[in-house]
Amino acid sequence: MAKASTKAPPKPIDAISLLKADHRAVDGLFEEFDKARRSDTKARLVEQICNELKIHTIIEEEIFYPAVRPKIDADIVDEGVVEHDGAKVLINDLVAAKPTDPYYDAKVKVLSEEIRHHVQEEEKWLRGMFSQASHTDLDMDKLGAELATRKAELKALADAGKLPQAKMSAVKVKG
């Protein structure tokens, strides 16, 4: 007779913890890129970075930002969307590029700097988006579950090579 598992189900992750974990994961990938020397390693890391950032921006813009916008300073949310769009320009460019292309490493460096700035803005103590959101009546565990579900769907698309190009939300790019 098989022994019943006494392992507790995983504790739901709240929305802010999930988003912060994404921030730390991408920062780690940028650090790995900084140490990489081989073109194939750089290409693999950039693919991971771009997929992680596309997934993260989608879940923030589809779920988190609309939930927090009416409860916090909406200007902070608008700024976050515009910052995302700035990153998406580089993400889309890097997805189409090769590590041997001109400016490749520079684009990754600038993307890293943009993302670090964005993370600092969201995580700023007291005035940042996450701090403001944590002081609302929003159910962060429920919101975290929604984010995790959508993230899993997008991760499956990324694993299948079907994650769409990053789409601008606020910035109009003419070409």
Side-chain angles (χ1 to χ4, degrees), residues 86-156:
K88 289 173 192 176
V89 171
L90 287 171
I91 291 166
N92 289 336
D93 195 49
L94 284 165
V95 166
K98 294 182 285 238
T100 54
D101 289 350
Y103 306 109
Y104 187 84
D105 286 6
K107 289 175 186 178
V108 175
K109 179 69 172 170
V110 171
L111 178 61
S112 166
E113 291 167 354
E114 286 183 5
I115 296 304
R116 285 188 178 113
H117 168 81
H118 177 72
V119 166
Q120 287 175 343
E121 290 293 310
E122 284 188 339
E123 296 185 10
K124 195 181 295 179
W125 188 62
L126 293 179
R127 297 185 328 264
M129 185 184 306
F130 292 172
S131 178
Q132 287 185 34
S134 69
H135 292 94
T136 68
D137 60 354
L138 289 168
D139 183 338
M140 288 298 166
D141 287 337
K142 181 177 179 233
L143 197 55
E146 289 177 47
L147 291 169
T149 298
R150 182 64 173 133
K151 184 176 174 179
E153 294 167 1
L154 294 165
K155 178 85 171 98

